[in-house]
Amino acid sequence: MESTSTSPSSLLVSRQLKAPRRTRSDFTPYIFTHEEMKRIFASVDSMRPHTRYNSAEVYPVLFRVLYGCGLRISEALDLRIRDVDLNIGVLTVRNGKFNKSRLVVMSPSLIDVAQK
């Protein structure tokens, strides 16, 4: 009978073929200029209504929530109506990073956009 055990050299080769893991130091965040943000907001504000999707109503608010409140995309997409209090201008972010919840204050201009 032949031995089917894996040799140490084949293990080494298989480990070397794996893509290297990205470390935190590899990531460089991109910071948008004020002019770039103005163009982004102008773009989402000028979206035409679609008969099947409500993106023309949702995107202007979503992008401003991400920008103005510093929410992660998953946190913003997980917001429910019960999590938004436009009377006092507070968002309740549930189960955010590390499964923690927090309250986030909205700016008066964001409240105005969200009420429309």
Side-chain angles (χ1 to χ4, degrees):
M1 284 187 128
E2 292 183 27
S3 173
T4 58
S5 66
T6 307
S7 69
S9 62
S10 66
L11 284 176
L12 181 61
V13 170
S14 68
R15 286 188 187 142
Q16 290 174 346
L17 294 177
K18 289 183 181 179
R21 290 192 64 161
R22 194 169 194 179
T23 63
R24 288 181 145 214
S25 62
D26 292 343
F27 177 73
T28 303
Y30 181 81
I31 299 173
F32 290 94
T33 66
H34 290 289
E35 188 58 39
E36 289 171 322
M37 290 308 305
K38 285 180 185 176
R39 289 197 319 255
I40 290 170
F41 291 138
S43 178
V44 296
D45 289 344
S46 66
M47 291 179 71
R48 293 184 178 174
H50 192 279
T51 56
R52 296 178 74 186
Y53 308 106
N54 63 351
S55 23
E57 293 84 23
V58 172
Y59 282 10
V61 178
L62 175 63
F63 276 70
R64 284 174 173 84
V65 166
L66 292 169
Y67 177 76
C69 297
L71 268 60
R72 294 169 183 83
I73 292 173
S74 61
E75 293 172 338
L77 295 177
D78 286 343
L79 286 173
R80 300 293 173 248
I81 291 173
R82 66 186 167 113
D83 299 328
V84 181
D85 187 338
L86 295 177
N87 294 321
I88 61 172
V90 172
L91 301 175
T92 303
V93 178
R94 300 177 193 279
N95 303 319
K97 192 171 185 179
F98 302 117
N99 207 26
K100 292 188 177 187
S101 297
R102 67 183 192 280
L103 299 176
V104 179
V105 179
M106 300 169 65
S107 69
S109 62
L110 178 55
I111 295 169
D112 290 342
V113 171
Q115 287 177 333
K116 291 181 182 179

